[in-house]
């Protein structure tokens, strides 16, 4: 039986990307590897619309977040941590391990982070030198407007802005240089449409200056060391990189950089949301402005959500359940990847089949979804 992966990480990898992953290995100290690495750097610059190079760690997204915490924070740092879900909490926990003084700002799950709330926290904590934000909170399907949040911060003496972009980069606009992000962490297996295993970190000039002045308490995640290898004439990695994943990432980046890619993700999100509501489910994120273009989270008012999820898996469709306090009460469907009408109809048709007794509450869901798909 075919299995249709709809988890918000990993995402299904295209056949083309899989083929690149199986290319014959090359050594990682030589021209061939540095050309591959340089090519990836150019594609990432274009995707992020930002200068400077991106560090690539053999790690998952949590590793790239840990590298930000280890290089920017310590017992001498006060940190404002804004969280609206499981992943915001995780970055907070990692950062607290460095001994930093934490100032926590919590936003209710399903709600987006309002710029005024962050600006107020920054103004009332002038000693905070670091601000932690999550662009796309994958546990709830909330998409935060990082550009608007940074836009409302005081211009003078504002903290360094570190952003968890693990599930946003590739699936939605994320332009760190233009927006004023100082440290951005992401990973290969979500919006970057690659197999899991690479953690990526981009820093602003101010970010690089800051880490060069600090001693990093981690040997492996030391960003200053990475920089010396990254900026060689022929870039390399200080330690053995997973070369096959570099092949795959390079091919995947070619799939993302097409015109209109971000608009198509948002279009898929709107169409799915219309169909899901018409099937009788409730979307967790009530305010459309904060709905993620990459992942949609919903539950059934009958309280049968986990039974519906179980039936979906039995028929070969595999979205994710909830996390944290939503462990048994959410279904999450991803659309970071090239989800078009065939995939939307498959997801909605399968949800209909899995509804069981709740099917009688379903409306004209295909028509509603298709109208949203066709709408400009
Ligand atoms: C998936 C995810 C992470 C964790 O990434 P791993 O690759 O599983 O370590 C962190 N933050 C966000 C927003 C995520 O979606």
């Amino acid at each position: 039986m075919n299995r249709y992966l709809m988890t918000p990480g990993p995402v299904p990898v295209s056949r083309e990307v899989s083929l690149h992953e199986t290319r014959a290995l090359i050594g990682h100290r030589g021209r061939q590897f540095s050309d591959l690495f340089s090519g990836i750097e150019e594609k990432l610059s274009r995707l992020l619309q930002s200068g400077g190079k991106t560090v690539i760690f053999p790690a998952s997204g949590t590793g790239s977040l840990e590298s930000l915490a280890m290089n920017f924070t310590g017992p001498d740092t006060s940190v404002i941590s804004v969280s609206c879900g499981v992943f915001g909490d995780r970055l907070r926990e990692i950062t607290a391990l460095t001994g930093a003084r934490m100032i926590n700002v919590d936003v209710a799950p399903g709600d987006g982070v309002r710029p005024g709330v962050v600006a107020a926290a920054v103004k009332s904590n002038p000693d905070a030198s670091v601000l932690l934000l999550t662009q796309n909170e994958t546990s709830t399907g909330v998409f935060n407007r990082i550009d608007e949040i940074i836009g409302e911060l005081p211009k003078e003496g504002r903290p360094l802005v570190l952003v968890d972009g693990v599930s946003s980069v590739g699936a939605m606009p994320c332009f760190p240089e233009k927006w004023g992000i100082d440290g951005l962490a992401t990973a290969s297996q979500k919006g970057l449409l690659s197999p899991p295993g690479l953690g990526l970190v981009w820093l602003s000039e101010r970010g690089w200056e800051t880490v060069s002045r600090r001693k990093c308490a981690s040997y492996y995640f030391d960003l200053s060391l990475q920089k010396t290898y990254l900026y060689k004439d022929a870039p390399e990695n200080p330690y053995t990189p997973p070369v096959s994943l570099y092949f795959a990432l390079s091919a995947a980046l070619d799939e993302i950089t097409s015109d209109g890619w971000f608009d198509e993700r948002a279009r898929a999100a709107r169409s799915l949301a219309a169909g899901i509501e018409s099937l009788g489910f409730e979307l967790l994120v009530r305010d459309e402005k904060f709905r993620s273009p990459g992942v949609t989270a919903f539950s059934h008012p009958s309280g049968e959500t986990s039974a519906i999820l179980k039936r979906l898996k039995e028929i070969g469709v595999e979205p994710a359940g909830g996390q944290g306090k939503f462990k048994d009460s959410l279904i999450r469907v991803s659309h970071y990847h090239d989800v078009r009408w065939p995939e939307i109809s498959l997801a909605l048709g399968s949800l209909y089949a899995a509804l069981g007794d709740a099917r009688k509450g379903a409306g004209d869901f295909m028509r509603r979804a298709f109208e949203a798909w066709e709408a400009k």
Side-chain angles (χ1 to χ4, degrees), residues 8 60-63 65 87 90 134 136-138 164-167 187 189-190 336:
S60 77
T62 306
L65 293 173
F87 290 109
R90 182 180 297 181
T134 310
N136 187 69
E137 177 49 75
T138 321
D164 175 344
V166 173
S167 65
Q189 81 277 19
K190 295 179 181 171
Y336 304 128

